[in-house]
Amino acid sequence: MTHAIRFHKTGGPEVLVWEEVNVGKPGAGEARIRHTAVGLNFVDIYNRSGLYPPPQLPSGLGGEGAGVVEEVGPGVTDLKPGDRVAYGAAPLGAYAEARLIPAERLLKLPAGIDDKTAAAMMLKGLTVQYLIRQTYRVKAGDTILLHAAAGGVGLILSQWAKHLGATVIGTVGNDEKAALAKAHGCAHTIVYTREDFVKRVDEITGGKKVPVVYDSVGKDTFLKSLDCLAPLGVVALFGQSSGGVEPLNLGILAQKGSLYVTRPTLNTYAAKAENLHAMAKELFEVVTSGAVKINVNQTYPLKDAAEAHADLAARKTTGSTVFLV
């Protein structure tokens, strides 16, 4: 039998259980894959806690993984057993030794990207792609603000934005994380626990402020993020690790300079298979070229998912975390 992490009710890390599951044969348009590595992401905590509840319970967890195709179902022509694949925008169920998955969500891995790296980069890297190439298209000469710059998304976004010719200002929680962010593309770091990031952004930009703020923190940063924007600037609120943002009086956006706020998700940007594959092609190119390096700073056995969730929530991790299967 195959094992998977499941949860029968929403709640804290303790609701995660390691149990036997029956995977079965792939149906039409599906593939069965055996995982070698699975990615950990903050959205997994949102799903487990019930903030973003799963479609039904009991439920699997995780939307990012890498492995090998074992079998394909009827109608699948572009994949075959033995193909190395990864995914980062798929239905819940990555926390498993093997699973069935819609074949159109799978991406063939280039030879230059190993499975552990792939499991660490797909969801986060595809998120970065839509944020800096679609939500706000970062260009040479831009100065941008990035919260949680030492996190998994942050380290990828900083490198990619620098590669595009932008200057990245990153907020972090301590000096160790500041050093890590600087080593991965941040030109300036702000330790928000002792510095006022609004004041520092104003100083760094000479009062011009920034055209975009990438904010995955939410409640603790959002209103101050607005104060960092130049007129017509954009806050891309793509997460809420500190909690949800309070309802916003839209008049504030007018007062602060005709600002824009968006709450984007990868599921929307990658909903169409052709868009997903185009996004992945661009991600694979910047990684295989060496412009973006993927840091796997923590690994855990998959059965220890509860421990990994607790460490991520406590901000004990940096960069990407991968479960080894």
Side-chain angles (χ1 to χ4, degrees), residues 140 156-166 168 185 285-286 289-292:
I156 297 173
L157 195 152
S158 296
Q159 293 177 82
W160 199 336
K162 181 181 180 181
H163 174 64
L164 294 171
V168 183
E285 285 171 355
V286 294
S289 74
V292 172

Side-chain angles (χ1 to χ4, degrees), residues 140-214:
D142 280 344
T143 297
I144 68 175
L145 177 61
L146 167 66
H147 292 305
V153 169
L155 294 181
I156 297 173
L157 195 152
S158 296
Q159 293 177 82
W160 199 336
K162 181 181 180 181
H163 174 64
L164 294 171
T167 297
V168 183
I169 305 170
T171 71
V172 294
N174 56 47
D175 290 327
E176 181 185 5
K177 290 184 176 182
L180 185 65
K182 278 201 168 181
H184 291 82
C186 277
H188 308 275
T189 55
I190 302 168
V191 181
Y192 66 82
T193 50
R194 63 168 186 259
E195 299 178 276
D196 180 340
F197 71 79
V198 177
K199 183 180 178 183
R200 288 288 294 123
V201 167
D202 199 59
E203 291 170 355
I204 291 166
T205 62
K208 293 180 180 179
K209 303 189 179 184
V210 298
V212 64
V213 179
Y214 294 111

Side-chain angles (χ1 to χ4, degrees), residues 193-257:
T193 50
R194 63 168 186 259
E195 299 178 276
D196 180 340
F197 71 79
V198 177
K199 183 180 178 183
R200 288 288 294 123
V201 167
D202 199 59
E203 291 170 355
I204 291 166
T205 62
K208 293 180 180 179
K209 303 189 179 184
V210 298
V212 64
V213 179
Y214 294 111
D215 190 340
S216 62
V217 177
K219 183 179 180 180
D220 290 351
T221 53
F222 176 71
L223 289 176
K224 294 176 96 177
S225 291
L226 295 177
D227 291 331
C228 295
L229 287 175
L232 308 183
V234 181
V235 169
L237 181 71
F238 66 100
Q240 51 188 60
S241 61
S242 68
V245 171
E246 297 293 324
L248 179 67
N249 175 358
L250 296 182
I252 291 173
L253 301 180
Q255 295 165 16
K256 294 183 182 295

